[in-house]
Amino acid sequence: MNYHVAQAAWLNAINNFLLKNISEIRADFPILNKKVYNKPLIYLDNGATTQKPQCVIDKINEVFSSYNGNIHRGVHAISDKASEEYETAREKVRSFINAGKREEIVFTSGTTGSINALAFSFGERYIRKGDEIIISNLEHHANIVPWQMMCERKKAKLRIIPINDNGEILFDEYLKLFSPKTKLVAVSQVSNALGTILPVKKIISVAHTLNIPVMIDGAQGVQHGITDVKAMDCDFYVFSGHKIYGPTGIGVLYGKEKWLTELPPYQGGGDMVETVTFEKTTYNELPFKFEAGTMNFPGAIGLGTALDYVLSLGREDIEMRERELLEYATNRLSGIDKLKIYGVSDKKISTISFLLKDIHQYDTGMILDKLGIAVRTGTHCAQPVMDRFGIDGTVRASMCFYNTKEEIDVLGTGIEKVISMFS
Ligand code: PMP
């Protein structure tokens, strides 16, 4: 063995020693020990929301029991402490997604809140009659409806990137959608309904050659790997705290400083102002210009702790565990006769959307539920994806690092039971 090989093996051994094993990881999440219908809970609905590690639960408890004072307002000790923790959380988000400046991180209520804010603000500032926004056929309703509402207000139009039978966008068709009227591209990093990872870097670089900004909906991307907004070069990036092991009601709108400086605020109120008279109001500096009213500071602080937790596991390790789960589950489920998987791109996160021949997705979901298995059924708030495949919904098993191969086996057996019940 030469020196470098020996050194790599040694580093690997240390790394394995430092990494938590799966039972240690699962022990961090109290809900994973629960039973439903007297059966161990098998939680495979992580695309809808993720479970919370004890450290996040403890952190929120700490805020309310030790320093629940309104941020940026009081001179008193607990308000100061809450403000400091809130701004520390902002810094944690900045570093997690590798944004350049803390001023570029705006806290919102979630991905939906962020996209609505951007659609309103961007629409007010830049969109005129006849302008066009490009989105894809893979979008969640949260990345369709706010743009549609803005288009209605401004008499603008949506242009849609089509997808193929694997559930991947047709890149050549994307290129054809650009026109002198194009003002923005807004697409997902990862499809929530099918799990497809979109080629966002390529999407952005094409738009940028025409000086068109791009918003990336990271709701299903940020928790599954390393997101680097600088390397991606997106103009805006949005995500929700609750999908990355943090609290509900908190989210992030990242925007490059030059854009956030130009965009008008979308809500008025306390804290977003510098001076107010009845004649004129001047706005606060970034990012506070976009944070009107009392913010969800316990949520932001809890999100900061969730990001620390993810970093403590290691994002490469999370990606590796999830890749293994996806491979295992794809093999197990595709071996089941009468099961069809929707979304078969070779670039996917650990999500499997499927249907059983002649069995409605709700029946499948309800029987699996009685076996203790939580999956999502329906359109997954992505009706245009379902329309594209001519179906009215799927069953979705969305896995993450705390799921196990044993759980996938129980899912497989559960699905076989559903099939036998209906045959
Ligand atoms: N975009 C995508 C891709 C999503 O998966 C979701 C949540 N399912 C959203 C947007 C909306 O997120 P939230 O409900 O947290 O605002």
Side-chain angles (χ1 to χ4, degrees), residues 47-49 109-115 138-143 188-193 217-221 223 238-243 249-250 376 380-381 396:
T49 198
S109 60
T111 306
T112 304
S114 299
I115 300 177
L138 282 174
E139 302 313 310
H140 185 281
H141 296 162
N143 198 30
S188 289
Q189 189 175 12
V190 171
S191 149
N192 70 313
D217 171 354
Q220 300 290 340
Q223 66 281 53
V238 298
F239 69 95
S240 300
H242 72 100
K243 293 189 197 276
I250 189 73
R376 172 92 184 259
H380 319 296
C381 298
R396 183 186 71 181

PDB file of all heavy atoms in Angstrom, residues 47-49 109-115 138-143 188-193 217-221 223 238-243 249-250 376 380-381 396, ligand 1:
ATOM      1  N   GLY A  47     -41.162  14.698   2.046  1.00  0.00           N
ATOM      2  CA  GLY A  47     -41.327  15.767   1.056  1.00  0.00           C
ATOM      3  C   GLY A  47     -42.363  16.780   1.540  1.00  0.00           C
ATOM      4  O   GLY A  47     -42.298  17.963   1.193  1.00  0.00           O
ATOM      5  N   ALA A  48     -43.325  16.312   2.333  1.00  0.00           N
ATOM      6  CA  ALA A  48     -44.371  17.221   2.830  1.00  0.00           C
ATOM      7  C   ALA A  48     -43.847  18.017   4.016  1.00  0.00           C
ATOM      8  O   ALA A  48     -43.981  19.247   4.075  1.00  0.00           O
ATOM      9  CB  ALA A  48     -45.612  16.430   3.234  1.00  0.00           C
ATOM     10  N   THR A  49     -43.262  17.327   4.968  1.00  0.00           N
ATOM     11  CA  THR A  49     -42.558  18.003   6.061  1.00  0.00           C
ATOM     12  C   THR A  49     -41.624  16.994   6.706  1.00  0.00           C
ATOM     13  O   THR A  49     -41.899  15.790   6.683  1.00  0.00           O
ATOM     14  CB  THR A  49     -43.525  18.637   7.095  1.00  0.00           C
ATOM     15  OG1 THR A  49     -42.795  19.598   7.865  1.00  0.00           O
ATOM     16  CG2 THR A  49     -44.153  17.631   8.042  1.00  0.00           C
ATOM     17  N   SER A 109     -42.266  33.515   5.719  1.00  0.00           N
ATOM     18  CA  SER A 109     -43.029  32.462   6.398  1.00  0.00           C
ATOM     19  C   SER A 109     -42.769  31.081   5.791  1.00  0.00           C
ATOM     20  O   SER A 109     -43.210  30.079   6.329  1.00  0.00           O
ATOM     21  CB  SER A 109     -44.520  32.781   6.324  1.00  0.00           C
ATOM     22  OG  SER A 109     -44.904  32.848   4.968  1.00  0.00           O
ATOM     23  N   GLY A 110     -42.080  31.013   4.649  1.00  0.00           N
ATOM     24  CA  GLY A 110     -41.832  29.718   3.998  1.00  0.00           C
ATOM     25  C   GLY A 110     -41.609  29.941   2.513  1.00  0.00           C
ATOM     26  O   GLY A 110     -41.587  31.084   2.033  1.00  0.00           O
ATOM     27  N   THR A 111     -41.475  28.853   1.783  1.00  0.00           N
ATOM     28  CA  THR A 111     -41.267  28.964   0.331  1.00  0.00           C
ATOM     29  C   THR A 111     -42.423  29.730  -0.310  1.00  0.00           C
ATOM     30  O   THR A 111     -42.214  30.626  -1.134  1.00  0.00           O
ATOM     31  CB  THR A 111     -41.184  27.552  -0.294  1.00  0.00           C
ATOM     32  OG1 THR A 111     -40.175  26.815   0.391  1.00  0.00           O
ATOM     33  CG2 THR A 111     -40.865  27.610  -1.760  1.00  0.00           C
ATOM     34  N   THR A 112     -43.651  29.373   0.074  1.00  0.00           N
ATOM     35  CA  THR A 112     -44.827  30.038  -0.502  1.00  0.00           C
ATOM     36  C   THR A 112     -44.774  31.535  -0.215  1.00  0.00           C
ATOM     37  O   THR A 112     -45.025  32.365  -1.103  1.00  0.00           O
ATOM     38  CB  THR A 112     -46.116  29.422   0.087  1.00  0.00           C
ATOM     39  OG1 THR A 112     -46.084  28.020  -0.161  1.00  0.00           O
ATOM     40  CG2 THR A 112     -47.366  30.024  -0.514  1.00  0.00           C
ATOM     41  N   GLY A 113     -44.449  31.884   1.021  1.00  0.00           N
ATOM     42  CA  GLY A 113     -44.343  33.302   1.403  1.00  0.00           C
ATOM     43  C   GLY A 113     -43.275  33.997   0.582  1.00  0.00           C
ATOM     44  O   GLY A 113     -43.461  35.124   0.098  1.00  0.00           O
ATOM     45  N   SER A 114     -42.137  33.321   0.386  1.00  0.00           N
ATOM     46  CA  SER A 114     -41.027  33.933  -0.359  1.00  0.00           C
ATOM     47  C   SER A 114     -41.412  34.179  -1.820  1.00  0.00           C
ATOM     48  O   SER A 114     -41.129  35.244  -2.379  1.00  0.00           O
ATOM     49  CB  SER A 114     -39.798  33.019  -0.345  1.00  0.00           C
ATOM     50  OG  SER A 114     -39.342  32.805   0.961  1.00  0.00           O
ATOM     51  N   ILE A 115     -42.066  33.179  -2.442  1.00  0.00           N
ATOM     52  CA  ILE A 115     -42.392  33.334  -3.874  1.00  0.00           C
ATOM     53  C   ILE A 115     -43.475  34.406  -4.059  1.00  0.00           C
ATOM     54  O   ILE A 115     -43.394  35.223  -4.978  1.00  0.00           O
ATOM     55  CB  ILE A 115     -42.802  31.988  -4.515  1.00  0.00           C
ATOM     56  CG1 ILE A 115     -41.648  30.984  -4.394  1.00  0.00           C
ATOM     57  CG2 ILE A 115     -43.184  32.172  -5.996  1.00  0.00           C
ATOM     58  CD1 ILE A 115     -41.943  29.578  -4.917  1.00  0.00           C
ATOM     59  N   LEU A 138     -42.916  21.115 -14.189  1.00  0.00           N
ATOM     60  CA  LEU A 138     -42.694  20.332 -12.967  1.00  0.00           C
ATOM     61  C   LEU A 138     -43.024  21.109 -11.694  1.00  0.00           C
ATOM     62  O   LEU A 138     -42.848  20.586 -10.604  1.00  0.00           O
ATOM     63  CB  LEU A 138     -41.208  19.921 -12.891  1.00  0.00           C
ATOM     64  CG  LEU A 138     -40.765  18.765 -13.770  1.00  0.00           C
ATOM     65  CD1 LEU A 138     -39.249  18.587 -13.678  1.00  0.00           C
ATOM     66  CD2 LEU A 138     -41.460  17.472 -13.358  1.00  0.00           C
ATOM     67  N   GLU A 139     -43.476  22.360 -11.834  1.00  0.00           N
ATOM     68  CA  GLU A 139     -43.566  23.208 -10.632  1.00  0.00           C
ATOM     69  C   GLU A 139     -44.676  22.821  -9.655  1.00  0.00           C
ATOM     70  O   GLU A 139     -45.743  22.345 -10.041  1.00  0.00           O
ATOM     71  CB  GLU A 139     -43.735  24.683 -11.037  1.00  0.00           C
ATOM     72  CG  GLU A 139     -42.618  25.223 -11.903  1.00  0.00           C
ATOM     73  CD  GLU A 139     -41.224  24.883 -11.393  1.00  0.00           C
ATOM     74  OE1 GLU A 139     -40.953  25.112 -10.209  1.00  0.00           O
ATOM     75  OE2 GLU A 139     -40.416  24.376 -12.191  1.00  0.00           O
ATOM     76  N   HIS A 140     -44.385  23.083  -8.392  1.00  0.00           N
ATOM     77  CA  HIS A 140     -45.378  23.034  -7.313  1.00  0.00           C
ATOM     78  C   HIS A 140     -46.314  24.234  -7.512  1.00  0.00           C
ATOM     79  O   HIS A 140     -45.902  25.270  -8.056  1.00  0.00           O
ATOM     80  CB  HIS A 140     -44.612  23.169  -5.989  1.00  0.00           C
ATOM     81  CG  HIS A 140     -45.424  23.033  -4.755  1.00  0.00           C
ATOM     82  ND1 HIS A 140     -46.203  24.053  -4.255  1.00  0.00           N
ATOM     83  CD2 HIS A 140     -45.559  22.002  -3.890  1.00  0.00           C
ATOM     84  CE1 HIS A 140     -46.776  23.642  -3.128  1.00  0.00           C
ATOM     85  NE2 HIS A 140     -46.415  22.413  -2.889  1.00  0.00           N
ATOM     86  N   HIS A 141     -47.548  24.115  -7.048  1.00  0.00           N
ATOM     87  CA  HIS A 141     -48.503  25.233  -7.206  1.00  0.00           C
ATOM     88  C   HIS A 141     -47.935  26.548  -6.648  1.00  0.00           C
ATOM     89  O   HIS A 141     -48.270  27.621  -7.139  1.00  0.00           O
ATOM     90  CB  HIS A 141     -49.832  24.909  -6.519  1.00  0.00           C
ATOM     91  CG  HIS A 141     -50.535  23.729  -7.137  1.00  0.00           C
ATOM     92  ND1 HIS A 141     -51.528  23.039  -6.504  1.00  0.00           N
ATOM     93  CD2 HIS A 141     -50.362  23.118  -8.343  1.00  0.00           C
ATOM     94  CE1 HIS A 141     -51.950  22.047  -7.284  1.00  0.00           C
ATOM     95  NE2 HIS A 141     -51.257  22.071  -8.402  1.00  0.00           N
ATOM     96  N   ALA A 142     -47.078  26.430  -5.625  1.00  0.00           N
ATOM     97  CA  ALA A 142     -46.494  27.642  -5.029  1.00  0.00           C
ATOM     98  C   ALA A 142     -45.595  28.390  -6.002  1.00  0.00           C
ATOM     99  O   ALA A 142     -45.321  29.574  -5.815  1.00  0.00           O
ATOM    100  CB  ALA A 142     -45.692  27.278  -3.776  1.00  0.00           C
ATOM    101  N   ASN A 143     -45.126  27.686  -7.038  1.00  0.00           N
ATOM    102  CA  ASN A 143     -44.300  28.363  -8.043  1.00  0.00           C
ATOM    103  C   ASN A 143     -45.057  28.516  -9.364  1.00  0.00           C
ATOM    104  O   ASN A 143     -44.451  28.672 -10.410  1.00  0.00           O
ATOM    105  CB  ASN A 143     -42.970  27.619  -8.254  1.00  0.00           C
ATOM    106  CG  ASN A 143     -41.933  28.500  -8.934  1.00  0.00           C
ATOM    107  OD1 ASN A 143     -41.943  29.731  -8.772  1.00  0.00           O
ATOM    108  ND2 ASN A 143     -41.059  27.903  -9.709  1.00  0.00           N
ATOM    109  N   SER A 188     -37.961  24.978 -10.170  1.00  0.00           N
ATOM    110  CA  SER A 188     -37.572  24.201  -8.994  1.00  0.00           C
ATOM    111  C   SER A 188     -36.169  23.655  -9.139  1.00  0.00           C
ATOM    112  O   SER A 188     -35.743  23.318 -10.241  1.00  0.00           O
ATOM    113  CB  SER A 188     -38.488  22.989  -8.854  1.00  0.00           C
ATOM    114  OG  SER A 188     -39.746  23.402  -8.464  1.00  0.00           O
ATOM    115  N   GLN A 189     -35.520  23.479  -7.994  1.00  0.00           N
ATOM    116  CA  GLN A 189     -34.243  22.775  -7.972  1.00  0.00           C
ATOM    117  C   GLN A 189     -34.521  21.272  -8.109  1.00  0.00           C
ATOM    118  O   GLN A 189     -33.806  20.556  -8.795  1.00  0.00           O
ATOM    119  CB  GLN A 189     -33.569  23.066  -6.626  1.00  0.00           C
ATOM    120  CG  GLN A 189     -32.154  22.617  -6.473  1.00  0.00           C
ATOM    121  CD  GLN A 189     -31.577  23.088  -5.138  1.00  0.00           C
ATOM    122  OE1 GLN A 189     -32.317  23.547  -4.252  1.00  0.00           O
ATOM    123  NE2 GLN A 189     -30.278  22.991  -4.984  1.00  0.00           N
ATOM    124  N   VAL A 190     -35.623  20.843  -7.456  1.00  0.00           N
ATOM    125  CA  VAL A 190     -36.031  19.435  -7.457  1.00  0.00           C
ATOM    126  C   VAL A 190     -37.558  19.394  -7.482  1.00  0.00           C
ATOM    127  O   VAL A 190     -38.202  20.154  -6.757  1.00  0.00           O
ATOM    128  CB  VAL A 190     -35.527  18.736  -6.175  1.00  0.00           C
ATOM    129  CG1 VAL A 190     -36.116  17.345  -6.045  1.00  0.00           C
ATOM    130  CG2 VAL A 190     -34.000  18.659  -6.126  1.00  0.00           C
ATOM    131  N   SER A 191     -38.105  18.483  -8.316  1.00  0.00           N
ATOM    132  CA  SER A 191     -39.568  18.353  -8.375  1.00  0.00           C
ATOM    133  C   SER A 191     -40.086  17.610  -7.146  1.00  0.00           C
ATOM    134  O   SER A 191     -39.594  16.518  -6.831  1.00  0.00           O
ATOM    135  CB  SER A 191     -39.944  17.573  -9.642  1.00  0.00           C
ATOM    136  OG  SER A 191     -41.123  16.823  -9.419  1.00  0.00           O
ATOM    137  N   ASN A 192     -41.087  18.193  -6.491  1.00  0.00           N
ATOM    138  CA  ASN A 192     -41.626  17.526  -5.293  1.00  0.00           C
ATOM    139  C   ASN A 192     -42.460  16.306  -5.674  1.00  0.00           C
ATOM    140  O   ASN A 192     -42.528  15.336  -4.936  1.00  0.00           O
ATOM    141  CB  ASN A 192     -42.472  18.490  -4.459  1.00  0.00           C
ATOM    142  CG  ASN A 192     -43.773  18.850  -5.140  1.00  0.00           C
ATOM    143  OD1 ASN A 192     -43.778  19.178  -6.318  1.00  0.00           O
ATOM    144  ND2 ASN A 192     -44.872  18.777  -4.410  1.00  0.00           N
ATOM    145  N   ALA A 193     -43.089  16.331  -6.853  1.00  0.00           N
ATOM    146  CA  ALA A 193     -44.009  15.260  -7.228  1.00  0.00           C
ATOM    147  C   ALA A 193     -43.264  14.024  -7.720  1.00  0.00           C
ATOM    148  O   ALA A 193     -43.684  12.900  -7.461  1.00  0.00           O
ATOM    149  CB  ALA A 193     -44.962  15.751  -8.310  1.00  0.00           C
ATOM    150  N   ASP A 217     -36.595  27.567  -6.814  1.00  0.00           N
ATOM    151  CA  ASP A 217     -37.400  27.092  -5.689  1.00  0.00           C
ATOM    152  C   ASP A 217     -36.666  25.888  -5.086  1.00  0.00           C
ATOM    153  O   ASP A 217     -36.675  24.798  -5.647  1.00  0.00           O
ATOM    154  CB  ASP A 217     -38.792  26.692  -6.217  1.00  0.00           C
ATOM    155  CG  ASP A 217     -39.628  25.985  -5.160  1.00  0.00           C
ATOM    156  OD1 ASP A 217     -39.113  25.705  -4.063  1.00  0.00           O
ATOM    157  OD2 ASP A 217     -40.808  25.703  -5.447  1.00  0.00           O
ATOM    158  N   GLY A 218     -36.051  26.147  -3.940  1.00  0.00           N
ATOM    159  CA  GLY A 218     -35.214  25.119  -3.309  1.00  0.00           C
ATOM    160  C   GLY A 218     -35.933  24.294  -2.251  1.00  0.00           C
ATOM    161  O   GLY A 218     -35.281  23.589  -1.472  1.00  0.00           O
ATOM    162  N   ALA A 219     -37.286  24.350  -2.239  1.00  0.00           N
ATOM    163  CA  ALA A 219     -38.040  23.667  -1.180  1.00  0.00           C
ATOM    164  C   ALA A 219     -37.693  22.185  -1.067  1.00  0.00           C
ATOM    165  O   ALA A 219     -37.676  21.635   0.032  1.00  0.00           O
ATOM    166  CB  ALA A 219     -39.544  23.837  -1.408  1.00  0.00           C
ATOM    167  N   GLN A 220     -37.399  21.540  -2.217  1.00  0.00           N
ATOM    168  CA  GLN A 220     -37.065  20.105  -2.165  1.00  0.00           C
ATOM    169  C   GLN A 220     -35.589  19.860  -2.458  1.00  0.00           C
ATOM    170  O   GLN A 220     -35.179  18.712  -2.644  1.00  0.00           O
ATOM    171  CB  GLN A 220     -37.915  19.309  -3.179  1.00  0.00           C
ATOM    172  CG  GLN A 220     -39.398  19.401  -2.963  1.00  0.00           C
ATOM    173  CD  GLN A 220     -39.858  18.657  -1.706  1.00  0.00           C
ATOM    174  OE1 GLN A 220     -39.159  17.782  -1.199  1.00  0.00           O
ATOM    175  NE2 GLN A 220     -41.022  19.012  -1.202  1.00  0.00           N
ATOM    176  N   GLY A 221     -34.814  20.925  -2.515  1.00  0.00           N
ATOM    177  CA  GLY A 221     -33.411  20.747  -2.874  1.00  0.00           C
ATOM    178  C   GLY A 221     -32.461  20.974  -1.716  1.00  0.00           C
ATOM    179  O   GLY A 221     -31.510  20.215  -1.509  1.00  0.00           O
ATOM    180  N   GLN A 223     -32.384  20.457   1.385  1.00  0.00           N
ATOM    181  CA  GLN A 223     -32.171  19.434   2.427  1.00  0.00           C
ATOM    182  C   GLN A 223     -31.497  18.182   1.897  1.00  0.00           C
ATOM    183  O   GLN A 223     -31.192  17.285   2.658  1.00  0.00           O
ATOM    184  CB  GLN A 223     -33.510  19.080   3.105  1.00  0.00           C
ATOM    185  CG  GLN A 223     -34.558  18.401   2.239  1.00  0.00           C
ATOM    186  CD  GLN A 223     -35.297  19.355   1.334  1.00  0.00           C
ATOM    187  OE1 GLN A 223     -34.690  20.109   0.596  1.00  0.00           O
ATOM    188  NE2 GLN A 223     -36.614  19.333   1.363  1.00  0.00           N
ATOM    189  N   VAL A 238     -35.211  30.283  -2.791  1.00  0.00           N
ATOM    190  CA  VAL A 238     -36.200  30.265  -1.694  1.00  0.00           C
ATOM    191  C   VAL A 238     -36.302  28.860  -1.110  1.00  0.00           C
ATOM    192  O   VAL A 238     -36.138  27.866  -1.823  1.00  0.00           O
ATOM    193  CB  VAL A 238     -37.593  30.727  -2.199  1.00  0.00           C
ATOM    194  CG1 VAL A 238     -37.542  32.156  -2.703  1.00  0.00           C
ATOM    195  CG2 VAL A 238     -38.138  29.817  -3.300  1.00  0.00           C
ATOM    196  N   PHE A 239     -36.551  28.779   0.178  1.00  0.00           N
ATOM    197  CA  PHE A 239     -36.823  27.472   0.794  1.00  0.00           C
ATOM    198  C   PHE A 239     -37.579  27.626   2.107  1.00  0.00           C
ATOM    199  O   PHE A 239     -37.741  28.740   2.605  1.00  0.00           O
ATOM    200  CB  PHE A 239     -35.534  26.644   0.972  1.00  0.00           C
ATOM    201  CG  PHE A 239     -34.556  27.152   2.005  1.00  0.00           C
ATOM    202  CD1 PHE A 239     -34.579  26.656   3.307  1.00  0.00           C
ATOM    203  CD2 PHE A 239     -33.587  28.088   1.682  1.00  0.00           C
ATOM    204  CE1 PHE A 239     -33.661  27.094   4.260  1.00  0.00           C
ATOM    205  CE2 PHE A 239     -32.656  28.527   2.623  1.00  0.00           C
ATOM    206  CZ  PHE A 239     -32.702  28.027   3.916  1.00  0.00           C
ATOM    207  N   SER A 240     -38.058  26.474   2.633  1.00  0.00           N
ATOM    208  CA  SER A 240     -38.857  26.449   3.870  1.00  0.00           C
ATOM    209  C   SER A 240     -38.084  25.774   4.981  1.00  0.00           C
ATOM    210  O   SER A 240     -37.464  24.723   4.752  1.00  0.00           O
ATOM    211  CB  SER A 240     -40.128  25.609   3.670  1.00  0.00           C
ATOM    212  OG  SER A 240     -40.929  26.131   2.660  1.00  0.00           O
ATOM    213  N   GLY A 241     -38.210  26.291   6.196  1.00  0.00           N
ATOM    214  CA  GLY A 241     -37.542  25.687   7.352  1.00  0.00           C
ATOM    215  C   GLY A 241     -38.045  24.286   7.664  1.00  0.00           C
ATOM    216  O   GLY A 241     -37.257  23.396   8.004  1.00  0.00           O
ATOM    217  N   HIS A 242     -39.359  24.068   7.517  1.00  0.00           N
ATOM    218  CA  HIS A 242     -39.920  22.796   7.987  1.00  0.00           C
ATOM    219  C   HIS A 242     -39.519  21.606   7.130  1.00  0.00           C
ATOM    220  O   HIS A 242     -39.697  20.464   7.549  1.00  0.00           O
ATOM    221  CB  HIS A 242     -41.451  22.894   8.094  1.00  0.00           C
ATOM    222  CG  HIS A 242     -42.166  22.920   6.782  1.00  0.00           C
ATOM    223  ND1 HIS A 242     -42.753  21.813   6.249  1.00  0.00           N
ATOM    224  CD2 HIS A 242     -42.368  23.924   5.888  1.00  0.00           C
ATOM    225  CE1 HIS A 242     -43.318  22.145   5.091  1.00  0.00           C
ATOM    226  NE2 HIS A 242     -43.087  23.419   4.849  1.00  0.00           N
ATOM    227  N   LYS A 243     -38.997  21.874   5.930  1.00  0.00           N
ATOM    228  CA  LYS A 243     -38.581  20.747   5.087  1.00  0.00           C
ATOM    229  C   LYS A 243     -37.113  20.406   5.304  1.00  0.00           C
ATOM    230  O   LYS A 243     -36.588  19.489   4.689  1.00  0.00           O
ATOM    231  CB  LYS A 243     -38.845  21.068   3.617  1.00  0.00           C
ATOM    232  CG  LYS A 243     -40.348  21.164   3.320  1.00  0.00           C
ATOM    233  CD  LYS A 243     -40.611  21.265   1.867  1.00  0.00           C
ATOM    234  CE  LYS A 243     -42.001  21.758   1.550  1.00  0.00           C
ATOM    235  NZ  LYS A 243     -43.004  20.695   1.552  1.00  0.00           N
ATOM    236  N   GLY A 249     -43.547  27.660   9.512  1.00  0.00           N
ATOM    237  CA  GLY A 249     -43.812  29.110   9.601  1.00  0.00           C
ATOM    238  C   GLY A 249     -42.575  29.969   9.435  1.00  0.00           C
ATOM    239  O   GLY A 249     -42.596  31.157   9.709  1.00  0.00           O
ATOM    240  N   ILE A 250     -41.480  29.366   8.988  1.00  0.00           N
ATOM    241  CA  ILE A 250     -40.271  30.161   8.735  1.00  0.00           C
ATOM    242  C   ILE A 250     -39.678  29.712   7.403  1.00  0.00           C
ATOM    243  O   ILE A 250     -39.691  28.524   7.073  1.00  0.00           O
ATOM    244  CB  ILE A 250     -39.226  30.021   9.879  1.00  0.00           C
ATOM    245  CG1 ILE A 250     -38.075  31.018   9.709  1.00  0.00           C
ATOM    246  CG2 ILE A 250     -38.690  28.596  10.006  1.00  0.00           C
ATOM    247  CD1 ILE A 250     -38.423  32.438  10.006  1.00  0.00           C
ATOM    248  N   ARG A 376     -47.595  10.039   1.101  1.00  0.00           N
ATOM    249  CA  ARG A 376     -48.487  11.085   0.620  1.00  0.00           C
ATOM    250  C   ARG A 376     -49.262  10.557  -0.587  1.00  0.00           C
ATOM    251  O   ARG A 376     -48.706   9.815  -1.404  1.00  0.00           O
ATOM    252  CB  ARG A 376     -47.636  12.308   0.237  1.00  0.00           C
ATOM    253  CG  ARG A 376     -48.343  13.436  -0.466  1.00  0.00           C
ATOM    254  CD  ARG A 376     -48.864  14.486   0.500  1.00  0.00           C
ATOM    255  NE  ARG A 376     -49.619  15.510  -0.213  1.00  0.00           N
ATOM    256  CZ  ARG A 376     -49.147  16.709  -0.539  1.00  0.00           C
ATOM    257  NH1 ARG A 376     -47.915  17.038  -0.214  1.00  0.00           N
ATOM    258  NH2 ARG A 376     -49.905  17.576  -1.174  1.00  0.00           N
ATOM    259  N   HIS A 380     -49.974  16.166  -4.991  1.00  0.00           N
ATOM    260  CA  HIS A 380     -48.780  16.763  -4.383  1.00  0.00           C
ATOM    261  C   HIS A 380     -48.664  18.247  -4.726  1.00  0.00           C
ATOM    262  O   HIS A 380     -47.551  18.766  -4.888  1.00  0.00           O
ATOM    263  CB  HIS A 380     -47.506  16.011  -4.806  1.00  0.00           C
ATOM    264  CG  HIS A 380     -47.693  14.528  -4.816  1.00  0.00           C
ATOM    265  ND1 HIS A 380     -47.964  13.810  -3.668  1.00  0.00           N
ATOM    266  CD2 HIS A 380     -47.729  13.624  -5.826  1.00  0.00           C
ATOM    267  CE1 HIS A 380     -48.126  12.548  -3.978  1.00  0.00           C
ATOM    268  NE2 HIS A 380     -48.014  12.400  -5.281  1.00  0.00           N
ATOM    269  N   CYS A 381     -49.809  18.915  -4.842  1.00  0.00           N
ATOM    270  CA  CYS A 381     -49.827  20.349  -5.207  1.00  0.00           C
ATOM    271  C   CYS A 381     -49.051  20.577  -6.502  1.00  0.00           C
ATOM    272  O   CYS A 381     -48.309  21.562  -6.632  1.00  0.00           O
ATOM    273  CB  CYS A 381     -49.258  21.237  -4.108  1.00  0.00           C
ATOM    274  SG  CYS A 381     -50.171  21.178  -2.586  1.00  0.00           S
ATOM    275  N   ARG A 396     -46.795   8.801  -2.995  1.00  0.00           N
ATOM    276  CA  ARG A 396     -45.399   9.257  -2.975  1.00  0.00           C
ATOM    277  C   ARG A 396     -44.714   8.827  -1.674  1.00  0.00           C
ATOM    278  O   ARG A 396     -45.184   9.166  -0.592  1.00  0.00           O
ATOM    279  CB  ARG A 396     -45.345  10.780  -3.101  1.00  0.00           C
ATOM    280  CG  ARG A 396     -43.939  11.341  -3.170  1.00  0.00           C
ATOM    281  CD  ARG A 396     -43.930  12.860  -3.151  1.00  0.00           C
ATOM    282  NE  ARG A 396     -44.309  13.374  -1.840  1.00  0.00           N
ATOM    283  CZ  ARG A 396     -44.414  14.661  -1.536  1.00  0.00           C
ATOM    284  NH1 ARG A 396     -44.203  15.578  -2.463  1.00  0.00           N
ATOM    285  NH2 ARG A 396     -44.750  15.051  -0.328  1.00  0.00           N
TER     286      ARG A 396
HETATM  287  N1  PMP B   1     -42.159  24.286  -3.791  1.00  0.00           N
HETATM  288  C1  PMP B   1     -41.931  22.970  -3.681  1.00  0.00           C
HETATM  289  C2  PMP B   1     -41.087  22.288  -4.733  1.00  0.00           C
HETATM  290  C3  PMP B   1     -42.476  22.261  -2.627  1.00  0.00           C
HETATM  291  O1  PMP B   1     -42.262  20.938  -2.520  1.00  0.00           O
HETATM  292  C4  PMP B   1     -43.261  22.943  -1.660  1.00  0.00           C
HETATM  293  C5  PMP B   1     -43.903  22.189  -0.500  1.00  0.00           C
HETATM  294  N2  PMP B   1     -44.429  20.963  -0.819  1.00  0.00           N
HETATM  295  C6  PMP B   1     -43.451  24.304  -1.816  1.00  0.00           C
HETATM  296  C7  PMP B   1     -42.890  24.948  -2.885  1.00  0.00           C
HETATM  297  C8  PMP B   1     -44.246  25.086  -0.816  1.00  0.00           C
HETATM  298  O2  PMP B   1     -43.608  25.053   0.431  1.00  0.00           O
HETATM  299  P1  PMP B   1     -44.320  25.596   1.743  1.00  0.00           P
HETATM  300  O3  PMP B   1     -45.642  24.918   1.808  1.00  0.00           O
HETATM  301  O4  PMP B   1     -43.393  25.201   2.846  1.00  0.00           O
HETATM  302  O5  PMP B   1     -44.440  27.064   1.592  1.00  0.00           O
END
